[in-house]
Amino acid sequence: MANPYMNNPDNTDPGAADRKKDHIELAFQSRVPHHEIDTRFYYEPLLSGHPLTLDNLKLKFLGKEFGAPVWVSSMTGGTALAGTINKNLAKACAEYGLGMGLGSCRQLLFNEEYLDDFQVRKFMADQPLYANLGIAQLEHLIESGDLKKVDQLIQKLEADGLIIHVNPMQEWLQPEGDVFMKSPLQTIVRIIESVDYKIIVKEVGQGMGPKSLEALLRLPVEAIDFGASGGTNFALLELLRSTENREKNYRNLAQLGHSAEEMVGFVNTLIEELGQDLKCKQVIISGGINDFLDGYYLTQKLNLPAIYGQASGLLKYAQASYEKLQEHLEMQLKGLSLAKAYLKVK
Ligand SMILES: Cc1cc2nc3c(=O)[nH]c(=O)nc-3n(C[C@H](O)[C@H](O)[C@H](O)COP(=O)(O)O)c2cc1C
C-alpha cells in the first residue's frame, strides 16, 4: 500500500535537481565538529519508523492524563501582563495535555483584586493546575491559625493542590524578603498533617541538596519540583534589584546550588537507599531545562516517573501571543516525539 505520508507518492521526485544543487552549495557549511557532538544519547536509527503523531508522549502523572511530559513552571501573577500570560499558558495546557503551576498566589489570600489573572481553570479543561504559596506565608498562616485560607484559595482557583515554594536564599537577598522562624521542613510536615489537598514542594532556581531531597522523598508529598540551578536564578535577580555594594558582596551566593542533572543523581541514589521508606514517587525536573532534548535526557535518566518543567523558556512565547506559544510547543513536542523514537540515554 502507498505510504500516505510520502511527499511524492508517485516517486517522481520533481525537486531533485534543485535539492542536489543545495546539497553541494551547503555541504561545506554543514560540518559538525567533534566537540559539538551531543554525547548524552545513543542514536539508534534502525529501530523505529518516524512517529506520525504525538501519541508516544502520553503518560499518566499526578493522577491525570498528560499528552506530553511537560510542566509549565510557576510564574507570574498580579502585574499588568500576567492575566494574558497565564491565560495563554493555560490554553496550551488544554490543547497539548500539559500541567501548570501558578505563580505565587500570596496576593489572593487577603485581597481579590488580581483573582482574575489566576482563575485559569476555565481555559485548561481538567489538566493539572496547582496554586502556589511561599513557605514564609505558610509559616505565618499556621502561626495565626489561618491555614483554612489556603483551602479557600484552592477552591476558588479550582486547583488540584498546592505548590509550596521554598526559597531561603531569595528571601534573604530580597530587600523586602521574609524571614523563616522555623525550618521549612517543620512547616511542610505541619501542613501535610493538617490538610487533605495534594502538595508539591519546589525551589525557585537553586535546587536542593541530598539531605533536603531525602527529607522530601520520605514524606507523602505528591511530587518534588526541582527548581534547579542553571536557569532563571532568583538570588541573582534579587541582587540585580539591590544596591551595587550588596551585589558585589553577595554575588557568590547566586552561584550556589545544584543543577537538575546533579539532582537526578541524588534522587537515584536516594531511591536505592530509602527502599520502603520512599513515599514521594513523582518528580518534576525543572530549572535550566533549555529544550526537549534536555527534558528527554533527564526524565529518562531519573528512576522515578518524571516530567520536565520550564518557566522562562515558555514565558518568552506566552507573553508574545498564543500563536507564538503554539508554534513553539508544537516544534518542541514533535522534537521530543522524534527523540523518543531514535534516542536512548547513555
Ligand atoms: C517571571 C518568573 C516568575 C516566577 N515566579 C515564581 C513564583 O511566583 N513562585 C515559584 O514557585 N516560582 C516562581 N518562579 C520560578 C520558576 O518556577 C522556576 O523554578 C525557575 O524560573 C527556574 O526555571 P527556568 O530555568 O525554566 O526558568 C518564577 C520564574 C519566573 C521566570
Side-chain angles (χ1 to χ4, degrees):
M1 194 182 80
N3 176 349
Y5 295 96
M6 288 256 300
N7 285 327
N8 299 293
D10 58 1
N11 245 344
T12 52
D13 201 4
D18 280 348
R19 190 171 65 246
K20 300 287 174 198
K21 189 162 153 276
D22 284 351
H23 287 175
I24 291 167
E25 283 169 6
L26 295 174
F28 299 112
Q29 299 167 38
S30 308
R31 296 171 64 83
V32 175
H34 287 153
H35 68 270
E36 284 181 15
I37 294 174
D38 189 335
T39 55
R40 295 175 295 179
F41 304 98
Y42 294 114
Y43 166 52
E44 302 291 2
L46 267 70
L47 307 182
S48 176
H50 282 116
L52 304 175
T53 66
L54 299 178
D55 281 356
N56 64 346
L57 301 182
K58 288 182 179 167
L59 80 163
K60 197 163 177 180
F61 194 80
L62 303 177
K64 291 199 169 174
E65 303 298 331
F66 276 69
V70 177
W71 182 256
V72 178
S73 290
S74 295
M75 276 183 279
T76 191
T79 65
L81 253 181
T84 312
I85 293 170
N86 282 344
K87 178 177 167 189
N88 286 344
L89 292 167
K91 275 171 65 182
C93 287
E95 183 168 354
Y96 300 101
L98 317 180
M100 170 168 170
L102 289 164
S104 175
C105 308
R106 179 182 185 174
Q107 289 158 301
L108 306 183
L109 286 171
F110 303 97
N111 172 347
E112 300 213 335
E113 187 186 344
Y114 293 107
L115 185 60
D116 250 13
D117 292 353
F118 293 86
Q119 272 184 326
V120 294
R121 170 57 81 201
K122 53 186 175 282
F123 305 115
M124 63 186 291
D126 191 37
Q127 289 310 117
L129 172 70
Y130 280 68
N132 179 312
L133 287 171
I135 193 83
Q137 283 72 60
L138 289 159
E139 194 187 290
H140 289 308
L141 291 171
I142 291 171
E143 285 305 310
S144 60
D146 277 335
L147 211 47
K148 62 182 177 312
K149 282 189 187 295
V150 183
D151 281 82
Q152 290 158 1
L153 175 76
I154 290 173
Q155 276 172 31
K156 245 183 267 176
L157 296 171
E158 296 171 73
D160 295 288
L162 177 71
I163 295 176
I164 303 176
H165 66 259
V166 178
N167 56 344
M169 204 67 86
Q170 180 192 1
E171 296 289 3
W172 196 82
L173 288 168
Q174 187 174 316
E176 60 279 63
D178 287 308
V179 172
F180 305 167
M181 302 305 287
K182 295 198 164 67
S183 77
L185 185 58
Q186 281 173 290
T187 306
I188 291 165
V189 168
R190 204 40 211 286
I191 292 167
I192 291 173
E193 286 167 356
S194 323
V195 306
D196 56 9
Y197 41 80
K198 293 177 176 175
I199 305 279
I200 296 176
V201 179
K202 79 187 281 285
E203 228 286 329
V204 299
Q206 289 193 277
M208 304 177 204
K211 293 284 176 212
S212 298
L213 284 171
E214 180 181 343
L216 287 177
L217 290 168
R218 286 178 179 278
L219 292 176
V221 291
E222 185 70 3
I224 301 174
D225 179 351
F226 281 177
S229 187
T232 315
N233 183 316
F234 271 83
L236 183 57
L237 193 147
E238 296 303 349
L239 279 172
L240 299 176
R241 296 177 63 229
S242 186
T243 60
E244 208 176 304
N245 202 14
R246 271 173 70 81
E247 192 194 330
K248 205 169 82 203
N249 278 283
Y250 293 141
R251 205 179 167 95
N252 51 3
L253 292 176
Q255 275 144 358
L256 300 172
H258 302 279
S259 70
E261 184 160 14
E262 191 182 19
M263 290 178 75
V264 165
F266 293 153
V267 172
N268 281 345
T269 306
L270 286 162
I271 297 168
E272 300 284 319
E273 287 173 11
L274 289 177
Q276 297 293 316
D277 292 329
L278 182 77
K279 295 286 181 300
C280 167
K281 295 186 180 158
Q282 299 179 98
V283 174
I284 300 171
I285 301 174
S286 71
I289 307 298
N290 292 311
D291 57 23
F292 63 90
L293 278 184
D294 283 356
Y296 179 62
Y297 173 68
L298 293 170
T299 51
Q300 295 297 304
K301 196 105 184 144
L302 190 78
N303 298 327
L304 279 179
I307 61 176
Y308 68 91
Q310 288 186 295
S312 48
L314 295 173
L315 179 63
K316 256 190 284 194
Y317 302 95
Q319 69 180 10
S321 69
Y322 187 65
E323 290 66 33
K324 291 274 176 234
L325 182 62
Q326 254 179 331
E327 195 185 330
H328 170 71
L329 277 170
E330 226 141 88
M331 291 255 238
Q332 289 287 309
L333 296 184
K334 282 183 181 164
L336 183 61
S337 177
L338 186 80
K340 203 154 181 201
Y342 293 113
L343 302 180
K344 304 272 175 268
V345 167
K346 283 182 185 170

